[in-house]
Each structure stands twice: as structure tokens, then as C-alpha cells.
Amino acid sequence: MPRQRAVTVTVATLLGIAVGGLVLWKVSQRWKERVCRGRNQVGALKRSEDEELTEVEEKELHSCVSFSTISWVEKILGAEIVIVSEAEEWDRVEPLLKKELQSWPVLGIDCEWVTYAAKDAQVSMALFLHLLGFFFIPAASGGENAVVAWQKVLGKCQGLMDVPFRGRSSSSLGDDGNGEVDSQQKPRNRKSATNGQSPVNQQVKDPRKQKRKPLGVGYSARKSPLYDNCFLHAPDGQPLCTCDRKKAQWYLDKGIGELVSTDPFVVKLQFEPSGRPESQVDYYLTVKENLCVVCGKRESYIRKNIVPHEYRRHFPIQMKDHNSHDVLLLCTSCHAISNYYDNHLKQQLAEEFGAPIGCEEGVRLLEDPLRRQVRSGARALLNADSLPDTRREELLQGIKDFFNTETITSEMLQEAAGLETRICNESYMPHGLKVVQCFAKGGLRSLMELERRWRQHFLDTMQPKHLPKRWSVNHNHGKLIRKYGEDLRIELS
């Protein structure tokens, strides 16, 4: 009996201490909140709006509100997500947004077209408050204390607000740092503008005059010449075309060609070729120099596709044969400049034909948020040992709903943890294909117009001074019409 009494007294004593400590903690917290509110009110009355808090007072303010840090972050990240896709939906959301901004005038913005956007906007707002050291915002809207508090916050942002964006454009060349196009720049070539040719070089600043950084940095130059200027001849000795040394040697190794001379390197075929040049002034019979066709530089050059591959790859097979005409040599600097101008013409085509670049429609695979959520939940169940029961049940229910079952086996859990979160985009339509499809509706001549437009664009923007002889914006067009006719049925690749 004495022993039981001792145990009872001990337990009662411990419970009393615990309860007393809890009561004292509650009292101290309430006292602390009242003191903080009193200090804020006194500070608001005694200080002018432009005066900053001292370091000691700022620490006291932060210590007063630090107890709300977790709940504030959770409130941001746990906010309701509303998806707006129509004007009517925005009309319903706009008043709520304005009301929220009256209480908490911080707006996090992020733009995405897959999922990876709402969460980013929430995180940006939480980071803003954290970096400034303000873990709490007065919830009451319209109060004098809230106004004063926000003036202090904005005071810390001087020099960061209302600053124009100075990021690099997608090409990172030729702008003045603000990403804007000088639409007031006067045309340099009025003739080309009036003839309907590419006006790109008259709408943007010449990147060759912008010396912000060396042009062509990061480009990998060729380690060997592009043109070996070897010749292939027909069995009767008629010149057919020029080619590289490797191709000429291939005919010799296969025993279907005969070496005629080594300088120049000439191989005569021992079979009838599938086609012959229509004249001896054909482009493919000309000797080509290994130099930049724009500036004449003889080193650090790479190949340039005058008609970008993202369009050419979708051309019909008839327009893909013998297309080395549109592969030229440019030095790394001129190549970078040319790509810069190409991006502007691509954007023009995107606007003309409703084929936006870098949109959801142009992505082959999309991230499925539901599958990603299921996978994350399964991994948490497999790897986290201390999940609360309510959270565990919530994750299990999500997996059950996904598999449409009432029971989850360990095999199903493993399958969910390795779930592929990317799905095929049913509306996938790359920019290049959509543009080519639009031109293909007009037949062969229309597609040739797209080819001509890119060639003329290269001439207008780069003004090359060392083009190979007989290079032309209309190359092969007459031959295509004579061979296939204007009514050729277009089958895109």
C-alpha cells in the first residue's frame, strides 16, 4: 500500500507540473502577442513613414512574429489553385484576386504550359518574404498598422521595383539588353523591302555592331575542309558533279569506278548514272572554296543550313534530292549572327501561320500531374517510416483511385513507385511541320516559295560576298517543274 501511494503521488505530481507548464506557456504566448501589437502601434505613431527600423527594433519585430512562420508558409503553399482558361472564368476570379491583394499586396507570377506554374508562383511569394526577413503579414486589410508595415517592406525593395527586364533574348545576340526590338529603325535596303523580300534585317539591330561579347562563342568549328572538289565523270567522260574524297574512293573500292587523275582527283563511273546535269554550267560542277561565304575567313568555319532542318526535314522527297546547294560554310561569328536573324524569320512564320514556337502543341511528351502525384505518394509510402496515419491513408487512397481497386498489394505499390509520368501529347504538332503543311496546301510552287524565302532571307540579312558561283534563290525550281509538273501530289515526310 505505501508503495502504491508513492507511485500515485509521483504520477499526480508529474501531471501537475505538465499542466502547469502548459498554462504558463499559453500565458506567456498571449503576453508576447500583446507586447508585439503594442510595440507596432507605438512605432506606427512615433515614426514617420519614410523612416527605417533600427537593427535592434527589426530583430524584435521578427522575434515577435517568428511564431507564425510555419503557418504562413503553409498558407501560401496550401492556397487553392484556380485554372483560368476562358474570359468568364477570369471575370469570376479577378474580384477575389483584387481582394486578396488589398490584404497581402504580393503577387507571385510564373508562366508554364505543362504543369512544373501555380506552385512556382507560390514559392516565389514565399521566397520574397523569406529573403526580406518578413515571416508575417498583418491579415487585417485597411488597418493603419498594415499600411505602415507594407511601407517598411517596400522600403527594402528600393532599386528592385519597376526595373525593366534586361534578360537575353532567345538568340542572346544583337539586342541592347532590354529584349526589345527597335521598330523605329529605318530600312537599309528599301528595294528589298518594296519587293516583298525578308524585312528582318530592317526590323532589328545588327548584332555585328553590338560588341557585348565575342560572337560565335561555344560553336565547334570543323576539323577538316568541307569541299575536296573531287570529280565524278560518266562512262563517256561527261562531268557529273563534284564530291568529297571519301565518296570518290568508295566507287574505286567497290570496283565500279576508274581513277582518271589524282590532281584533280577524277573518277569515271563504269555504269550509267541515274541522271546527268542539264548543262555544263550546273552548280554542282563548280569548284567551291573552303571559306566563310559572308566574310571570306578561311578558318573556324562550320556548315550552315540556309533552309533550317526543322522545315527541310518535312519537305517531299522530290525536294530533298541534291540539296547540298543550301549547305554553305560560315565562320563561327557569322554563323551565330545568321542564327540570330533566322530566329526572327521563324517568329514571323509562326505568327503568319499560327504555328507558335515553344508552346505545348510543339512538345511530344507532356508531364501528367496525376501520375506524378501517384508516383510520389508510392515512394513516400515505401521510404518514409514516420508518416502520420491520416497522411498514409490519404496517399493510399490516391493510389487506390488511380488503379481503381480497394486493396493495394506490395507489387502494385512498387509499380506505382516506378510509374512513367510522361504521356504522349495527342495535339503534338511541331512548328516546322505546321508551317510546311500550310505551304504544301498550295502545291509544289508554294513549297518552292518557302524555300526561296529562306534563301532570300539569307542574302538580305547576311549580304554574303563569297557565294559559290551559280548559287541562286531559284535553284532547281525550273527542273522540278519540268520533271514533276505543277500538279505533283505533295506527300510530306
Side-chain angles (χ1 to χ4, degrees):
M1 291 294 292
R3 186 175 181 179
Q4 292 180 347
R5 288 180 180 175
V7 172
T8 303
V9 171
T10 303
V11 172
T13 302
L14 292 175
L15 288 175
I17 294 174
V19 173
L22 181 61
V23 171
L24 289 175
W25 180 81
K26 283 286 188 181
V27 172
S28 66
Q29 287 295 102
R30 291 178 181 176
W31 176 82
K32 192 174 184 179
E33 291 180 21
R34 291 174 182 174
V35 172
C36 290
R37 284 198 294 268
R39 286 175 178 171
N40 287 340
Q41 291 174 355
V42 173
L45 294 174
K46 289 186 176 181
R47 295 184 175 277
S48 64
E49 294 182 353
D50 296 331
E51 186 178 356
E52 294 186 357
L53 294 174
T54 65
E55 184 177 355
V56 174
E57 291 170 330
E58 191 173 279
K59 289 181 178 179
E60 291 180 355
L61 175 61
H62 291 167
S63 66
C64 290
V65 300
S66 60
F67 66 91
S68 300
T69 303
I70 297 178
S71 61
W72 173 241
V73 172
E74 288 180 348
K75 189 168 185 177
I76 293 178
L77 300 181
E80 180 184 0
I81 296 176
V82 180
I83 298 177
V84 177
S85 55
E86 297 180 357
E88 293 77 9
E89 295 173 341
W90 170 248
D91 291 338
R92 291 195 295 269
V93 172
E94 184 182 15
L96 299 177
L97 182 61
K98 289 182 177 179
K99 182 178 180 181
E100 291 289 327
L101 288 175
Q102 289 177 355
S103 301
W104 310 314
V106 178
L107 181 63
I109 298 179
D110 186 67
C111 297
E112 299 285 351
W113 37 260
V114 281
T115 54
Y116 307 132
K119 189 65 68 177
D120 289 347
Q122 292 168 323
V123 169
S124 67
M125 181 174 174
L127 284 175
F128 167 78
L129 296 170
H130 180 78
L131 292 175
L132 288 178
F134 288 87
F135 306 117
F136 171 80
I137 297 179
S141 60
E144 184 178 355
N145 292 342
V147 175
V148 174
W150 271 114
Q151 288 175 345
K152 301 301 181 184
V153 172
L154 297 179
K156 286 179 169 288
C157 298
Q158 293 301 322
L160 301 176
M161 298 186 303
D162 301 326
V163 178
F165 176 68
R166 294 188 178 276
R168 296 176 180 176
S169 63
S170 58
S171 61
S172 72
L173 288 173
D175 58 61
D176 56 2
N178 59 10
E180 298 180 353
V181 175
D182 185 4
S183 59
Q184 303 300 322
Q185 184 177 1
K186 295 183 179 180
R188 292 183 301 169
N189 189 338
R190 293 184 178 272
K191 182 178 181 180
S192 64
T194 56
N195 289 341
Q197 298 172 353
S198 173
V200 171
N201 63 321
Q202 299 141 20
Q203 297 178 349
V204 296
K205 295 181 179 179
D206 190 341
R208 286 166 283 196
K209 299 178 181 178
Q210 309 295 323
K211 299 300 183 181
R212 293 178 56 201
K213 70 173 185 178
L215 296 174
V217 173
Y219 284 73
S220 179
R222 289 183 62 87
K223 295 181 174 58
S224 61
L226 175 63
Y227 305 117
D228 293 329
N229 291 309
C230 300
F231 286 89
L232 294 181
H233 285 183
D236 59 2
Q238 178 187 0
L240 298 175
C241 64
T242 59
C243 67
D244 57 40
R245 179 65 178 268
K246 184 177 180 180
K247 183 175 182 179
Q249 188 64 44
W250 181 85
Y251 288 106
L252 296 177
D253 295 341
K254 292 294 183 180
I256 54 177
E258 175 187 351
L259 182 62
V260 176
S261 68
T262 57
D263 190 17
F265 199 88
V266 179
V267 174
K268 183 169 67 173
L269 302 181
Q270 296 182 348
F271 61 91
E272 181 61 29
S274 60
R276 294 180 180 234
E278 295 182 348
S279 70
Q280 293 306 301
V281 293
D282 190 84
Y283 172 81
Y284 296 105
L285 292 174
T286 60
V287 173
K288 303 169 185 67
E289 294 187 82
N290 289 285
L291 50 75
C292 174
V293 299
V294 175
C295 66
K297 189 176 181 180
R298 294 185 176 271
E299 64 274 348
S300 300
Y301 46 70
I302 50 180
R303 303 199 319 170
K304 167 69 179 180
N305 292 306
I306 303 303
V307 180
H309 179 67
E310 62 184 296
Y311 304 98
R312 174 76 71 182
R313 62 180 299 191
H314 301 297
F315 279 14
I317 187 64
Q318 295 86 349
M319 295 183 68
K320 287 185 176 181
D321 291 342
H322 308 292
N323 61 3
S324 63
H325 171 273
D326 291 326
V327 179
L328 300 175
L329 282 180
L330 270 68
C331 68
T332 54
S333 296
C334 292
H335 200 286
I337 296 168
S338 181
N339 286 345
Y340 168 80
Y341 285 125
D342 286 356
N343 286 335
H344 287 276
L345 179 53
K346 289 179 183 179
Q347 190 59 45
Q348 286 183 4
L349 292 171
E351 295 172 359
E352 290 178 23
F353 300 100
I357 302 172
C359 66
E360 180 175 339
E361 190 180 77
V363 178
R364 188 184 298 273
L365 296 175
L366 295 177
E367 186 79 10
D368 186 350
L370 176 60
R371 297 172 71 89
R372 186 178 182 87
Q373 183 179 3
V374 170
R375 187 180 69 176
S376 299
R379 291 178 177 179
L381 290 170
L382 289 173
N383 300 318
D385 298 328
S386 58
L387 281 176
D389 292 339
T390 54
R391 180 57 175 164
R392 181 180 295 275
E393 288 300 322
E394 181 182 353
L395 295 178
L396 280 173
Q397 188 59 49
I399 299 174
K400 289 178 183 178
D401 294 342
F402 180 79
F403 286 107
N404 193 22
T405 183
E406 292 298 328
T407 58
I408 297 294
T409 64
S410 58
E411 291 78 10
M412 296 173 67
L413 204 58
Q414 291 290 345
E415 179 184 350
L419 202 62
E420 174 57 65
T421 61
R422 296 175 301 171
I423 58 176
C424 291
N425 184 4
E426 296 180 356
S427 61
Y428 172 64
M429 174 68 74
H431 160 80
L433 176 58
K434 192 167 186 178
V435 171
V436 173
Q437 282 183 344
C438 292
F439 276 92
K441 293 177 182 178
L444 183 59
R445 283 194 179 276
S446 180
L447 274 176
M448 291 191 299
E449 180 58 36
L450 174 61
E451 192 175 50
R452 182 186 295 109
R453 183 170 178 177
W454 274 106
R455 291 169 177 169
Q456 187 64 53
H457 161 79
F458 177 71
L459 295 182
D460 292 344
T461 56
M462 300 306 295
Q463 301 180 2
K465 297 178 175 58
H466 304 274
L467 278 174
K469 292 181 179 179
R470 302 184 182 90
W471 194 92
S472 169
V473 295
N474 297 310
H475 171 76
N476 214 31
H477 290 173
K479 184 178 180 180
L480 284 172
I481 294 296
R482 291 191 296 271
K483 186 175 182 178
Y484 300 107
E486 296 189 18
D487 299 328
L488 173 69
R489 181 180 179 182
I490 303 298
E491 295 182 3
L492 302 182
S493 301

